[in-house]
């Protein structure tokens, strides 16, 4: 999402009123053990660094399994993401691997076009459940599938009527 404002500006979009809708497209890379609800939120804190270790958090970094940035809990005052839900999607255990899911992120994209310096991305939070499973989605480094399942954002612009596709990463 780092170049989304530039890409929209290049497409002639200059204000949030020009964005009809925006959807994030994700591809789950393995089957799910439970039915789950995923919710999207706009990240509001910049300067966090993604850790390189999947199993143990490095000092001052955030990893896929961490709920903290340093000593700061996410979604607390001064925390990491806006508590207003942008949209949601549901996964079920019957869904095939590499299924595509979409979630509305319209309000985040509108916010970014009016406030370009506040584009820190989207966080997907999945509901808790009684079990032990993690959902995995393809990333911009989708090397397992030759880049076929890289997440992307589709944005509808009403005037002139068109669609902008932006790869995430």
């Amino acid at each position: 999402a780092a170049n989304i404002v530039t890409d929209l500006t290049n497409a002639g979009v200059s204000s949030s009123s020009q964005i009809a809708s925006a959807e994030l497209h994700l591809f789950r890379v393995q089957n799910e053990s439970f039915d789950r609800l995923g919710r999207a939120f706009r990240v509001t804190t910049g300067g966090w660094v993604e850790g390189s270790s999947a199993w143990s958090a490095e000092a001052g970094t955030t990893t896929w399994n961490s709920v903290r940035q340093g000593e700061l809990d996410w979604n607390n005052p001064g925390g990491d993401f806006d508590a207003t839900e942008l949209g949601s999607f549901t996964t079920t255990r019957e869904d095939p691997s590499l299924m595509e899911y979409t979630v509305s992120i319209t309000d985040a994209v509108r916010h970014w076009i009016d406030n370009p310096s506040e584009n820190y991305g989207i966080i997907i939070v999945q509901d808790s459940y009684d079990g032990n499973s993690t959902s995995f989605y393809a990333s911009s480094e989708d090397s397992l599938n030759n880049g076929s399942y890289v997440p992307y954002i589709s944005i509808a612009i009403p005037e002139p009527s068109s669609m902008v596709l932006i790869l995430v990463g």
Side-chain angles (χ1 to χ4, degrees):
N3 296 320
I4 193 169
V5 174
T6 301
D7 291 344
L8 287 170
T9 301
N10 291 340
V13 176
S14 60
S15 75
S16 61
S17 63
Q18 294 176 283
I19 297 170
S21 65
E23 288 187 324
L24 174 61
H25 299 253
L26 300 168
F27 301 90
R28 196 176 65 210
V29 296
Q30 71 180 33
N31 292 334
E32 182 65 73
S33 300
F34 300 90
D35 297 351
R36 301 186 68 179
L37 174 69
R39 299 176 297 134
F41 299 91
R42 183 178 58 84
V43 176
T44 58
T45 304
W48 64 277
V49 178
E50 185 175 352
S52 60
S53 172
W55 300 107
S56 63
E58 301 164 37
T61 65
T62 302
T63 61
W64 65 269
N65 62 349
S66 173
V67 295
R68 304 177 73 85
Q69 164 57 30
E71 296 301 314
L72 181 66
D73 287 334
W74 288 358
N75 210 24
N76 283 328
D80 227 32
F81 62 93
D82 187 322
T84 303
E85 182 180 311
L86 298 168
S88 64
F89 63 100
T90 302
T91 62
T92 68
R93 30 181 187 199
E94 289 83 24
D95 294 345
S97 186
L98 298 176
M99 182 165 172
E100 180 177 4
Y101 300 93
T102 60
V103 59
S104 175
I105 60 167
T106 304
D107 288 343
V109 173
R110 286 179 177 157
H111 182 87
W112 296 334
I113 197 69
D114 289 340
N115 306 279
S117 65
E118 296 179 15
N119 177 7
Y120 303 118
I122 298 292
I123 185 171
I124 302 294
V125 178
Q126 290 192 291
D127 61 341
S128 58
Y129 53 88
D130 187 18
N132 185 15
S133 176
T134 302
S135 292
F136 293 93
Y137 296 89
S139 70
S140 60
E141 299 87 20
D142 179 29
S143 58
L144 295 175
N145 301 294
N146 298 317
S148 301
Y149 298 98
V150 173
Y152 66 94
I153 299 170
S154 60
I155 302 168
I157 304 167
E159 296 293 331
S161 183
S162 63
M163 180 74 70
V164 178
L165 297 178
I166 299 172
L167 292 179
V168 177

